[in-house]
Amino acid sequence: MSTTPDSRTALRICPLCEATCGLTLTIEGTRVAQARGDRDDVFSKGFICPKGASFGAADGDPDRLRTPLVRKDGELREATWEEAFDAVAAGLRPVAERHGPHAVGVVLGNPNVHTMAGALYPTVLLAGLGTRSLFTASTVDQMPKHVSSGLLFGDANAIPVPDLDRTDHLLLIGANPLESNGSLCTAPDFPGKLKALRTRGGTLTVIDPRRTRTARLADRHVAIRPGTDALLLAAMAHVLFEEGLTDLGELTPLVQGLDELAAAVSDFTPEAAAGACDVDASDIRALARELAAAPTAAVYGRIGSCTVPHGTLASWLVDVLNILTGNLDRPGGALFPQAATDRTPRPAGPGHGFRLGRWHSRVSRHPEAKGELPIAALAEEIDTATEEGEPVRALVVVAANPVLSTPDGDRLDKALGSLDFMVSVDPYLNETSRHAHVVLPPPPPSQSPHHDFAFNTLAVRNQVRYTPAAVPLEPGRMAETEILARLVLAATGMHGADPSAVDTLVIDQTLGKAVKEAHSPVHGRDPRELAGRLTGASGPERRLDMMLRLGPYGDGFGARPDGLTLAGLLDRPHGIDLGPLRPRLPQPLKTRSGLVELLPPPLADDLPRLRDALRRRPDGLVLVGRRHLRSNNSWMHNIPALTGGTNRCTLHIHPDDARRLGVVDGAPVRVKGAGGEVVAPAEVTDTVRRGVVSLPHGWGHDRPGTRLGHAAVEPGVNVNQLLDGSLLDPLSGTAVLNGVPIEVAPAGTTL
Ligand SMILES: Nc1nc2c(c(=O)[nH]1)N[C@H]1C(S)=C(S)[C@@H](COP(=O)(O)OP(=O)(O)OC[C@H]3O[C@@H](n4cnc5c(=O)[nH]c(N)nc54)[C@H](O)[C@@H]3O)O[C@H]1N2
Ligand SMILES: Nc1nc2c(c(=O)[nH]1)N[C@H]1C(S)=C(S)[C@@H](COP(=O)(O)OP(=O)(O)OC[C@H]3O[C@@H](n4cnc5c(=O)[nH]c(N)nc54)[C@H](O)[C@@H]3O)O[C@H]1N2
Ligand code: SF4
Ligand SMILES: [Mo]
C-alpha cells in the first residue's frame, strides 16, 4: 500500500452494484488511491469484487464533468451553477405553463437507487411537477416483480428475498449472481454464499439458456428456451397440485384463492410445457418434487425472468411456488426484510390494494404501472402527436442513459434532439446527456455520503450502515442532494429559494402525518418539537435521522431510548447488525382482503396469453443478454481497469449454429432485429444453448458529441438497436429484452 504524509483511510459503502459492500478507501490528498474490503463491515465482512477494487479509478475518471454545462448557440459550454439553474428554470417552467404538467417528462435511471439524492428527491420533484410522464429503468428491469408483489401482497415494494444463508435448496431463474453480484437480493459475496450452500449439503438449481459461471456451480442446470420460464413455473405448480405436494404450513390461514389457482394451472402440464420450454417433462416434474421435498427452499427469479413476454406471470409464479411449498416467510425460504428506514409497521389488516392502469400512455395506450409508463414508449411519447394531449416537450433526466439502455436508441436519439428543453443530472457527457440543454454533474462518489435506502429493503440480513463523504466536496462542486433540491425548486416555480426548504417541507409533512397515526411511536406529539430534536449536518442527514427514529428499530424520538438515531449510527462506522430475516406476515400485506391474494384478476386475465404460448416452437435464433463482472450497464466502459479481457461486446453463438450459418470465431457477424442491425465479432462458445445468441448491453459508445475518451476506443455495439420497442410484457410495460427473434449472418453477406 502506498503511503504519503497526507494518506488516510475512510469508509465508503460501494455504490457500484446492489451488494453494497463496505470499502476502506486510502485517500491521498483528495484522491482515492486504493479500495479494500472493510473487514469490520457488519454485512460484507471484507468482501470486495474487482469493480469495488477499481472504485478509485471510477471515482477519479478524468472524463467526469467538473462544472455544469449550458447550451449556448447550440453548443454545451462550461457554466456556473447559478447560470445552470437559471437556464433550468427558464427552460422548464414555460413548457409546463404552456402545454400542461404532462408535457414535462421525468426519466430516472438505475444509479438513483445507488445515491441518497436519488432516494430522497425524485418523489418531491414528481409531486411538484404533477406529471404523469414518468419513465424509469424499472421498465427495462424489475417492474414485473413490483406488479406481481403489488397484486399478491398489496404492496409493490414488498419483495421477498431468498434466505441465502439458511436455505437448503435454491432455485435461481434467469439470474447470474456470479457476474452481477445479485439483484433484488442484496448479498455481499453472493458467490461465497452459493458455495456455502453447497458445502452445508444444500442444493443449487439454475435455469438459464446459458451455462453461466453460476450455472457451473449448480447441482442441476436447465438450459431453457428463452422467454418460456412462466410456462415451466406454471407446470411446476401444476405438479405440486397434481401430486399432492402442496403444503402451505403456517401460511394456510393467510392465503386466499388456492382452489382457483389449482384450476388456473390445470392446463399447464409438464407434458404440455415441455415442447415450448425445450425441457423434458420428467425434468420439470423433478424440479417440482425437489422443491417440495427440500426441508426449506427458495425460488428466486431475476432479469431473465423479468424482461420477457410473460415477465409478470413468471415473477408471480416464483412467489406462488414459494407459497405452495410453505417457504414464503419462513427461515430458509423467502422472507420480507425489515429495513431501518422502513415506515413504522402498521398493525396487520386490510389495505388499499394495488391498482394498475390508472392512466395510459398517450400514443400506444400502455397502462401505467406503479405510476410509471414504459420507458420503451418514451420516444413515441416525444415524437408522435395525437388527439389525446400534448407530447412530452421537456425532460428531466436523472442518472439515466436510455439511448443505450432501452429499445431503439436511434429513434430516441432523434426524439431527444427535438425537445424544447432537456436537463440531465449526470457525471458524464454521454449518449443521452449530449442532448441536454443543461448538464448538472454530481460529485464523484468519494465526495458523497451514503446510505442504502432501497437495497436494505432487499437485503438478506437486516442491518444499517451510513458512510459520510470520504473526501470533502472539491471547490466548485455541489452535493447531488443539493443539485436535486435546487432542481425541484427550479422546476416548480420556486427558483432561487434556499434548497433546505425542500427538506424542511418533507420533514414537516412526514412528522405531521406520523403524529396522527395511532400506531406511531410519536402519536399525539408536537411535530415542531420533534423537528427540533433532529440532528444531522445537512437536510439529507436530518431526513435520515427522522426516518431512522420513526422506523421499526428507531428511538421513536425518545419513546424507545435504546433505539436507532443518526447519532447512534455515526458512532458505529462499520454499521449495526439487526439480525437475520424474520417471518413478518401478515403485517406487510396491504391487499384489500388483508390476505395473500393468490390469483389476482389481472394475472388470471393474462393466463390465456400464456396458454397460447404452450403451442409456440420458435425455429429461428433468439437473442439474450449477459453481464460481465467488471461492467455496470452503460457507464463503466470508460474505466481502463474495467475493460478488456472477457468484458467485450461479442456475440456468443453455439458451435452448431455457427457452423450452420458459416460464422467463424472472431469474425464480424451481422445481427438483425425488428429495430435495426448491428455488426459485432462472433465468439463461438457452447456456454450458450443451440438456437440462442447473446450480446451484452450498454455498449455502442460511438456517437458524436460525447466525452468518454476510453469507451470510444472500443465502443462496441448497442444491442438495444435490434429492438423496436413494440414488444412489452403487457401488465408491467417492461420491454422484452430477452428471447427476442433475430437473424444472424457473417458480415458481408445478405440477410
Ligand atoms: N438489452 C438489455 N438492455 C438493458 C438491460 C439488459 O439486461 N439487456 N438491463 C436493463 C437494466 S436492468 C437497467 S437497470 C438499465 C439501466 O439503464 P440506465 O439507468 O439508463 O443506465 P445506466 O448505464 O445504469 O446509467 C445511467 C446513467 O447514470 C449516470 N450516473 C452514474 N453515477 C451517477 C451518479 O452518482 N449520479 C447521477 N446523477 N448519475 C450517475 C451514468 O453516467 C449514466 O449516464 O438498463 C437496462 N437495459
Ligand atoms: N457486473 C455487473 N453487475 C451488475 C450489472 C452489470 O451491468 N454488470 N447490472 C446491475 C443491474 S442494473 C441488474 S438489474 C442486475 C441484474 O442481475 P442478474 O439478473 O443476475 O443479471 P444477468 O447477469 O443479466 O443475468 C440474467 C441471466 O438471465 C439469463 N436469461 C436470459 N433470458 C432468459 C430466459 O428467458 N430465461 C431464463 N431462465 N434465463 C434467461 C441470461 O443468460 C443471464 O445469465 O445486475 C446488476 N449488477
Ligand atoms: S460486489 Fe458490488 S458492492 Fe461489492 S465491491 Fe463489487 S461492485 Fe461494489
Ligand atoms: Mo437493473
Side-chain angles (χ1 to χ4, degrees), residues 401-425:
N401 191 6
V403 169
L404 294 190
S405 55
T406 73
D408 198 351
D410 287 348
R411 179 173 176 186
L412 184 58
D413 207 38
K414 283 197 199 80
L416 295 181
S418 76
L419 288 167
D420 292 352
F421 184 76
M422 169 171 160
V423 49
S424 268
V425 182

mmCIF file of all heavy atoms in Angstrom, residues 401-425:
data_model
loop_
_atom_site.group_PDB
_atom_site.id
_atom_site.type_symbol
_atom_site.label_atom_id
_atom_site.label_comp_id
_atom_site.label_asym_id
_atom_site.label_seq_id
_atom_site.Cartn_x
_atom_site.Cartn_y
_atom_site.Cartn_z
ATOM 1 N N ASN A 401 -29.366 6.671 -18.989
ATOM 2 C CA ASN A 401 -28.784 6.698 -20.332
ATOM 3 C C ASN A 401 -29.653 5.869 -21.278
ATOM 4 O O ASN A 401 -29.204 4.878 -21.847
ATOM 5 C CB ASN A 401 -27.348 6.153 -20.267
ATOM 6 C CG ASN A 401 -26.592 6.401 -21.565
ATOM 7 O OD1 ASN A 401 -27.101 7.085 -22.470
ATOM 8 N ND2 ASN A 401 -25.398 5.858 -21.666
ATOM 9 N N PRO A 402 -30.924 6.275 -21.440
ATOM 10 C CA PRO A 402 -31.854 5.437 -22.212
ATOM 11 C C PRO A 402 -31.483 5.268 -23.681
ATOM 12 O O PRO A 402 -31.943 4.314 -24.310
ATOM 13 C CB PRO A 402 -33.205 6.171 -22.056
ATOM 14 C CG PRO A 402 -32.857 7.580 -21.697
ATOM 15 C CD PRO A 402 -31.580 7.484 -20.910
ATOM 16 N N VAL A 403 -30.624 6.145 -24.216
ATOM 17 C CA VAL A 403 -30.234 5.956 -25.625
ATOM 18 C C VAL A 403 -29.546 4.601 -25.791
ATOM 19 O O VAL A 403 -29.688 3.941 -26.825
ATOM 20 C CB VAL A 403 -29.340 7.129 -26.114
ATOM 21 C CG1 VAL A 403 -28.721 6.818 -27.471
ATOM 22 C CG2 VAL A 403 -30.151 8.422 -26.186
ATOM 23 N N LEU A 404 -28.835 4.154 -24.748
ATOM 24 C CA LEU A 404 -28.210 2.827 -24.837
ATOM 25 C C LEU A 404 -28.981 1.744 -24.087
ATOM 26 O O LEU A 404 -28.884 0.570 -24.425
ATOM 27 C CB LEU A 404 -26.768 2.872 -24.295
ATOM 28 C CG LEU A 404 -25.768 3.695 -25.086
ATOM 29 C CD1 LEU A 404 -24.352 3.432 -24.574
ATOM 30 C CD2 LEU A 404 -25.829 3.406 -26.585
ATOM 31 N N SER A 405 -29.751 2.121 -23.065
ATOM 32 C CA SER A 405 -30.301 1.072 -22.199
ATOM 33 C C SER A 405 -31.729 0.663 -22.549
ATOM 34 O O SER A 405 -32.262 -0.252 -21.935
ATOM 35 C CB SER A 405 -30.222 1.490 -20.729
ATOM 36 O OG SER A 405 -30.846 2.727 -20.538
ATOM 37 N N THR A 406 -32.349 1.324 -23.523
ATOM 38 C CA THR A 406 -33.734 0.983 -23.864
ATOM 39 C C THR A 406 -33.858 0.758 -25.376
ATOM 40 O O THR A 406 -32.974 1.147 -26.137
ATOM 41 C CB THR A 406 -34.708 2.102 -23.406
ATOM 42 O OG1 THR A 406 -34.559 3.228 -24.255
ATOM 43 C CG2 THR A 406 -34.436 2.537 -21.970
ATOM 44 N N PRO A 407 -34.948 0.122 -25.812
ATOM 45 C CA PRO A 407 -35.072 -0.229 -27.233
ATOM 46 C C PRO A 407 -34.945 0.965 -28.196
ATOM 47 O O PRO A 407 -35.338 2.084 -27.857
ATOM 48 C CB PRO A 407 -36.476 -0.835 -27.318
ATOM 49 C CG PRO A 407 -36.702 -1.408 -25.961
ATOM 50 C CD PRO A 407 -36.035 -0.445 -25.016
ATOM 51 N N ASP A 408 -34.426 0.674 -29.361
ATOM 52 C CA ASP A 408 -34.330 1.635 -30.476
ATOM 53 C C ASP A 408 -33.735 2.982 -30.078
ATOM 54 O O ASP A 408 -34.392 4.028 -30.143
ATOM 55 C CB ASP A 408 -35.707 1.840 -31.136
ATOM 56 C CG ASP A 408 -35.569 2.455 -32.534
ATOM 57 O OD1 ASP A 408 -34.427 2.869 -32.895
ATOM 58 O OD2 ASP A 408 -36.576 2.526 -33.256
ATOM 59 N N GLY A 409 -32.458 2.923 -29.696
ATOM 60 C CA GLY A 409 -31.744 4.139 -29.315
ATOM 61 C C GLY A 409 -31.696 5.176 -30.423
ATOM 62 O O GLY A 409 -31.686 6.380 -30.145
ATOM 63 N N ASP A 410 -31.672 4.742 -31.684
ATOM 64 C CA ASP A 410 -31.579 5.731 -32.778
ATOM 65 C C ASP A 410 -32.820 6.616 -32.803
ATOM 66 O O ASP A 410 -32.731 7.832 -32.983
ATOM 67 C CB ASP A 410 -31.429 5.031 -34.136
ATOM 68 C CG ASP A 410 -30.034 4.435 -34.311
ATOM 69 O OD1 ASP A 410 -29.146 4.768 -33.490
ATOM 70 O OD2 ASP A 410 -29.847 3.628 -35.252
ATOM 71 N N ARG A 411 -33.978 5.993 -32.612
ATOM 72 C CA ARG A 411 -35.203 6.795 -32.617
ATOM 73 C C ARG A 411 -35.239 7.731 -31.403
ATOM 74 O O ARG A 411 -35.594 8.907 -31.527
ATOM 75 C CB ARG A 411 -36.429 5.867 -32.595
ATOM 76 C CG ARG A 411 -37.729 6.652 -32.584
ATOM 77 C CD ARG A 411 -38.937 5.741 -32.734
ATOM 78 N NE ARG A 411 -40.169 6.521 -32.626
ATOM 79 C CZ ARG A 411 -41.378 5.985 -32.596
ATOM 80 N NH1 ARG A 411 -41.526 4.667 -32.683
ATOM 81 N NH2 ARG A 411 -42.444 6.761 -32.508
ATOM 82 N N LEU A 412 -34.832 7.214 -30.253
ATOM 83 C CA LEU A 412 -34.846 8.047 -29.050
ATOM 84 C C LEU A 412 -33.842 9.190 -29.189
ATOM 85 O O LEU A 412 -34.109 10.326 -28.784
ATOM 86 C CB LEU A 412 -34.531 7.191 -27.816
ATOM 87 C CG LEU A 412 -34.613 7.913 -26.476
ATOM 88 C CD1 LEU A 412 -36.006 8.512 -26.254
ATOM 89 C CD2 LEU A 412 -34.265 6.976 -25.331
ATOM 90 N N ASP A 413 -32.697 8.867 -29.777
ATOM 91 C CA ASP A 413 -31.666 9.872 -30.028
ATOM 92 C C ASP A 413 -32.265 11.059 -30.795
ATOM 93 O O ASP A 413 -32.071 12.217 -30.425
ATOM 94 C CB ASP A 413 -30.605 9.178 -30.899
ATOM 95 C CG ASP A 413 -29.229 9.772 -30.739
ATOM 96 O OD1 ASP A 413 -28.864 10.135 -29.610
ATOM 97 O OD2 ASP A 413 -28.526 9.857 -31.759
ATOM 98 N N LYS A 414 -33.000 10.752 -31.849
ATOM 99 C CA LYS A 414 -33.628 11.828 -32.655
ATOM 100 C C LYS A 414 -34.672 12.556 -31.830
ATOM 101 O O LYS A 414 -34.764 13.781 -31.866
ATOM 102 C CB LYS A 414 -34.302 11.237 -33.902
ATOM 103 C CG LYS A 414 -33.340 10.869 -34.985
ATOM 104 C CD LYS A 414 -34.073 10.706 -36.320
ATOM 105 C CE LYS A 414 -33.211 9.884 -37.279
ATOM 106 N NZ LYS A 414 -33.281 8.421 -37.041
ATOM 107 N N ALA A 415 -35.477 11.790 -31.096
ATOM 108 C CA ALA A 415 -36.547 12.400 -30.302
ATOM 109 C C ALA A 415 -35.960 13.356 -29.260
ATOM 110 O O ALA A 415 -36.452 14.474 -29.075
ATOM 111 C CB ALA A 415 -37.389 11.317 -29.627
ATOM 112 N N LEU A 416 -34.893 12.926 -28.601
ATOM 113 C CA LEU A 416 -34.286 13.794 -27.570
ATOM 114 C C LEU A 416 -33.770 15.082 -28.211
ATOM 115 O O LEU A 416 -33.873 16.171 -27.641
ATOM 116 C CB LEU A 416 -33.138 13.072 -26.846
ATOM 117 C CG LEU A 416 -33.520 11.848 -26.009
ATOM 118 C CD1 LEU A 416 -32.285 11.251 -25.343
ATOM 119 C CD2 LEU A 416 -34.570 12.184 -24.953
ATOM 120 N N GLY A 417 -33.241 14.945 -29.426
ATOM 121 C CA GLY A 417 -32.724 16.118 -30.144
ATOM 122 C C GLY A 417 -33.824 17.106 -30.520
ATOM 123 O O GLY A 417 -33.538 18.269 -30.836
ATOM 124 N N SER A 418 -35.080 16.664 -30.490
ATOM 125 C CA SER A 418 -36.189 17.536 -30.905
ATOM 126 C C SER A 418 -36.857 18.241 -29.720
ATOM 127 O O SER A 418 -37.781 19.026 -29.911
ATOM 128 C CB SER A 418 -37.242 16.702 -31.649
ATOM 129 O OG SER A 418 -37.993 15.942 -30.691
ATOM 130 N N LEU A 419 -36.416 17.948 -28.503
ATOM 131 C CA LEU A 419 -37.103 18.516 -27.327
ATOM 132 C C LEU A 419 -36.906 20.026 -27.233
ATOM 133 O O LEU A 419 -35.877 20.556 -27.631
ATOM 134 C CB LEU A 419 -36.549 17.872 -26.044
ATOM 135 C CG LEU A 419 -36.941 16.425 -25.773
ATOM 136 C CD1 LEU A 419 -36.069 15.839 -24.661
ATOM 137 C CD2 LEU A 419 -38.421 16.331 -25.400
ATOM 138 N N ASP A 420 -37.909 20.709 -26.653
ATOM 139 C CA ASP A 420 -37.748 22.140 -26.383
ATOM 140 C C ASP A 420 -36.684 22.361 -25.315
ATOM 141 O O ASP A 420 -35.947 23.339 -25.343
ATOM 142 C CB ASP A 420 -39.068 22.748 -25.864
ATOM 143 C CG ASP A 420 -40.136 22.762 -26.936
ATOM 144 O OD1 ASP A 420 -39.793 22.447 -28.100
ATOM 145 O OD2 ASP A 420 -41.302 23.077 -26.611
ATOM 146 N N PHE A 421 -36.668 21.422 -24.342
ATOM 147 C CA PHE A 421 -35.692 21.580 -23.258
ATOM 148 C C PHE A 421 -35.411 20.241 -22.601
ATOM 149 O O PHE A 421 -36.309 19.432 -22.411
ATOM 150 C CB PHE A 421 -36.207 22.566 -22.191
ATOM 151 C CG PHE A 421 -35.192 22.822 -21.117
ATOM 152 C CD1 PHE A 421 -34.097 23.656 -21.364
ATOM 153 C CD2 PHE A 421 -35.292 22.208 -19.878
ATOM 154 C CE1 PHE A 421 -33.127 23.870 -20.386
ATOM 155 C CE2 PHE A 421 -34.315 22.413 -18.898
ATOM 156 C CZ PHE A 421 -33.243 23.248 -19.146
ATOM 157 N N MET A 422 -34.140 20.045 -22.241
ATOM 158 C CA MET A 422 -33.770 18.823 -21.513
ATOM 159 C C MET A 422 -32.653 19.153 -20.527
ATOM 160 O O MET A 422 -31.705 19.848 -20.869
ATOM 161 C CB MET A 422 -33.304 17.763 -22.520
ATOM 162 C CG MET A 422 -32.641 16.560 -21.896
ATOM 163 S SD MET A 422 -32.384 15.268 -23.138
ATOM 164 C CE MET A 422 -31.111 14.303 -22.359
ATOM 165 N N VAL A 423 -32.804 18.657 -19.305
ATOM 166 C CA VAL A 423 -31.727 18.774 -18.319
ATOM 167 C C VAL A 423 -31.341 17.381 -17.862
ATOM 168 O O VAL A 423 -32.206 16.538 -17.627
ATOM 169 C CB VAL A 423 -32.139 19.672 -17.117
ATOM 170 C CG1 VAL A 423 -33.482 19.306 -16.525
ATOM 171 C CG2 VAL A 423 -31.068 19.659 -16.019
ATOM 172 N N SER A 424 -30.023 17.132 -17.799
ATOM 173 C CA SER A 424 -29.510 15.839 -17.330
ATOM 174 C C SER A 424 -28.699 16.045 -16.070
ATOM 175 O O SER A 424 -27.814 16.907 -16.044
ATOM 176 C CB SER A 424 -28.563 15.225 -18.373
ATOM 177 O OG SER A 424 -29.244 14.391 -19.259
ATOM 178 N N VAL A 425 -28.997 15.265 -15.041
ATOM 179 C CA VAL A 425 -28.113 15.229 -13.878
ATOM 180 C C VAL A 425 -27.248 14.000 -14.094
ATOM 181 O O VAL A 425 -27.723 12.865 -13.951
ATOM 182 C CB VAL A 425 -28.915 15.122 -12.562
ATOM 183 C CG1 VAL A 425 -27.959 15.130 -11.365
ATOM 184 C CG2 VAL A 425 -29.917 16.261 -12.455
#
